[in-house]
Amino acid sequence: MITRRGFLRLVGGSFFSIVSLGAYAVGIGPVLLTHVKRYNLAPPHWPAGLNLRVVALADIHACRPWMTPQRIVALAAEANALQPDLIVLLGDYTAGTRLVTGWVGVAEWAEALSGLRAPLGVFSVLGNHDWWTDIRAQRAEAGPTQSRKALEHVGIPVLENDVMRLEKDGQGFWVAGLADQLALRPNKAKARHSFQGFDDLDGTLAKISNSEPIILLAHEPDIFTKVPSRVSLTLSGHTHGGQVRLFGYSPVVPSAYGNRFAYGHVVENDRNLIVSGGLGFSILPVRLGVRPEILQIDLG
């Protein structure tokens, strides 16, 4: 039988554990423990002789105190140190929560990202928060968003339903980027009761003029159900791995498909998707079981 002293120790220890876990999830998890998540794969339609290192950053969500311009500069330096052939940015550069001590403007975070360097270039897509925080774009129901302007101002191309052909060691491939799938918020005044996107998968892929392999950038992973096997690899962010992920399961995932596309490498019918856990956070400054990460993907 447990004694009164033993019971108090148990309760006290449990309370301390809960407090410590909460402090880690809110304080340490979102900030200090960024790591590099590495993948090695040879997806379908990828030439055996084409060895390509792609480094991807997703869901930066710039804000103070957790994702300051100084921290973004450090993340850019860490990405460069991985010696990528190509760097891709997967959207959501603006803050995803109001629980901040200070906002980071688009010019600030874009300048912090301007130090990214790769021989084949740096390319980006936009995320839902890049649209949602842009009042002018929401009212006009059209871009260009302030995020797009800021990225292009520092020399980072933004692919919104557009493609770019690149070449390494004499072998060509394509990078295709989708416009955001949740760009416009519901608006009762305009009789829009659900989110509206500007993504055009078919139109984007139609711009590719040959059979060379394709890397598709799409902020939200839900589009993967429609991606043809013609695409070698789809890269997405948005979910943050649920921000809380225990034993491979995330209780809350911002996806119509739940945990199916919550995090990591997904293979369905020889089609490959990698979903980043991202770097920042949305709604609440909490991360547990899914560390902030930079992706390193070695293809070939």
Side-chain angles (χ1 to χ4, degrees):
M1 179 181 295
I2 189 169
T3 65
R4 180 176 182 274
R5 179 175 294 180
F7 175 76
L8 291 175
R9 285 179 178 173
L10 177 63
V11 172
S14 299
F15 176 76
F16 177 77
S17 298
I18 292 170
V19 171
S20 299
L21 188 63
Y24 170 84
V26 176
I28 299 174
V31 180
L32 299 180
L33 300 180
T34 300
H35 77 299
V36 178
K37 179 69 173 179
R38 292 177 170 88
Y39 295 93
N40 292 274
L41 62 152
H45 310 296
W46 193 264
L50 178 54
N51 297 312
L52 185 76
R53 174 168 292 178
V54 181
V55 166
L57 288 76
D59 302 288
I60 289 170
H61 288 300
C63 66
R64 294 179 174 88
W66 297 286
M67 188 63 75
T68 64
Q70 293 77 17
R71 186 180 176 211
I72 298 171
V73 167
L75 290 170
E78 188 174 352
N80 292 343
L82 297 175
Q83 299 183 313
D85 298 304
L86 171 69
I87 295 176
V88 297
L89 305 175
L90 300 176
D92 272 6
Y93 313 98
T94 59
T97 176
R98 295 187 177 275
L99 299 177
V100 301
T101 61
W103 300 103
V104 175
V106 292
E108 291 181 275
W109 58 251
E111 182 62 31
L113 289 171
S114 68
L116 290 167
R117 296 287 185 272
L120 299 183
V122 181
F123 297 90
S124 67
V125 293
L126 300 180
N128 55 302
H129 284 276
D130 303 313
W131 279 90
W132 293 358
T133 57
D134 192 322
I135 296 174
R136 188 213 61 81
Q138 289 295 310
R139 287 175 177 170
E141 298 188 339
T145 62
Q146 293 300 312
S147 292
R148 174 166 185 157
K149 292 178 181 178
L151 286 164
E152 291 179 338
H153 180 74
V154 299
I156 299 176
V158 179
L159 302 178
E160 291 189 280
N161 299 329
D162 210 349
V163 301
M164 180 68 67
R165 184 184 182 274
L166 303 174
E167 190 172 296
K168 183 190 177 189
D169 299 331
Q171 297 194 70
F173 66 96
W174 295 84
V175 175
L178 285 188
D180 191 67
Q181 301 159 56
L182 301 171
L184 299 181
R185 289 177 175 273
N187 188 325
K188 292 182 180 180
K190 297 186 177 183
R192 185 173 62 248
H193 302 290
S194 60
F195 293 100
Q196 177 182 318
F198 293 116
D199 55 297
D200 181 1
L201 179 62
D202 292 340
T204 301
L205 297 181
K207 296 180 180 181
I208 294 174
S209 58
N210 57 33
S211 60
E212 291 172 335
I214 304 167
I215 298 173
L216 176 67
L217 313 180
H219 177 66
E220 295 91 357
D222 285 17
I223 195 69
F224 187 61
T225 60
K226 301 177 183 178
V227 173
S229 59
R230 165 85 175 83
V231 174
S232 295
L233 176 64
T234 301
L235 298 177
S236 295
H238 182 63
T239 65
H240 305 199
Q243 286 190 186
V244 174
R245 189 167 180 84
L246 301 173
F247 307 108
Y249 176 80
S250 301
V252 179
V253 182
S255 165
Y257 299 95
N259 274 265
R260 179 178 172 185
F261 303 142
Y263 176 70
H265 186 196
V266 179
V267 180
E268 294 185 357
N269 300 322
D270 289 330
R271 298 175 308 122
N272 283 257
L273 165 71
I274 294 177
V275 182
S276 171
L279 289 159
F281 50 81
S282 185
I283 311 302
L284 294 174
V286 172
R287 274 186 176 268
L288 182 62
V290 53
R291 290 166 57 183
E293 65 183 24
I294 295 174
L295 298 184
Q296 176 186 304
I297 304 157
D298 289 304
L299 299 171

